[in-house]
Amino acid sequence: MSELGLTLARLAFLGLLWLFVLAAVMVLRRDLLQPAEARPIALGRTARTPKPVKMPKAKTSKVRGAKLLVTEGALAGTVVPLLTADVTIGRAPDSTVVVDDDYASSRHTRVFNTDGVWMVEDLGSTNGTWIDRTRITAPTALPVGVPLRVGRTTLLLQK
């Protein structure tokens, strides 16, 4: 083989190698980016958050009739009454709702009452806490009748 042919073969091999590396980087980048529906809810909010409004004590007593209904998962049909105490959901035995799910963390999420509004906070779980189809990253209000997903378990807030 001539010197020119050998040099051209080396350059072609080098070009193919670079194409392979760029293709691998593009595939990794695509896999690491989240789909649009999985973007955290906190990213869509403005930087300025309004101050919470203090509700009178009489209004907070109305939320005592609220409950969490498990609609999907191993505990389907379970009703958890929401009182004034926080409700923790996870695999840990000391959680209020103990879910036997490989996709749930030991201390996955917390549901709590703030001024008459039920809030959900993800406690640093691996697979995240989802309200409807939106992953939450900050304490977020839980609307009535909207699915709350923790691993493979789905819960609904009912009044």
Side-chain angles (χ1 to χ4, degrees):
M1 186 178 265
S2 70
E3 185 77 26
L4 180 63
L6 188 58
T7 303
L8 288 177
R10 286 180 183 167
L11 289 175
F13 179 71
L14 186 62
L16 286 174
L17 185 63
W18 273 107
L19 283 175
F20 174 75
V21 168
L22 289 175
V25 167
M26 289 175 49
V27 167
L28 287 173
R29 183 176 179 267
R30 185 191 67 213
D31 287 346
L32 291 176
L33 292 178
Q34 294 178 343
E37 67 182 21
R39 289 204 177 108
I41 197 168
L43 292 179
R45 294 185 181 163
T46 59
R48 200 181 92 209
T49 57
K51 292 181 180 178
V53 178
K54 295 284 184 180
M55 302 288 277
K57 291 287 183 185
K59 294 210 177 200
T60 59
S61 64
K62 290 183 180 179
V63 297
R64 291 195 180 177
K67 58 189 171 187
L68 278 177
L69 173 67
V70 181
T71 58
E72 292 180 21
L75 299 173
T78 304
V79 177
V80 180
L82 296 175
L83 303 173
T84 56
D86 294 355
V87 174
T88 55
I89 303 169
R91 291 186 310 177
D94 61 340
S95 296
T96 310
V97 179
V98 180
V99 291
D100 186 23
D101 186 354
D102 292 337
Y103 294 98
S105 299
S106 295
R107 285 172 180 65
H108 197 98
T109 191
R110 176 174 74 114
V111 178
F112 59 98
N113 187 350
T114 301
D115 297 327
V117 177
W118 288 103
M119 305 288 286
V120 178
E121 178 184 20
D122 185 74
L123 299 176
S125 64
T126 304
N127 294 319
T129 302
W130 299 74
I131 295 180
D132 201 13
R133 292 183 177 176
T134 306
R135 185 176 186 164
I136 62 168
T137 57
T140 306
L142 180 61
V144 175
V146 176
L148 168 67
R149 197 163 41 109
V150 176
R152 292 183 180 160
T153 304
T154 304
L155 303 102
L156 289 177
L157 175 66
Q158 295 181 339
K159 294 280 180 172

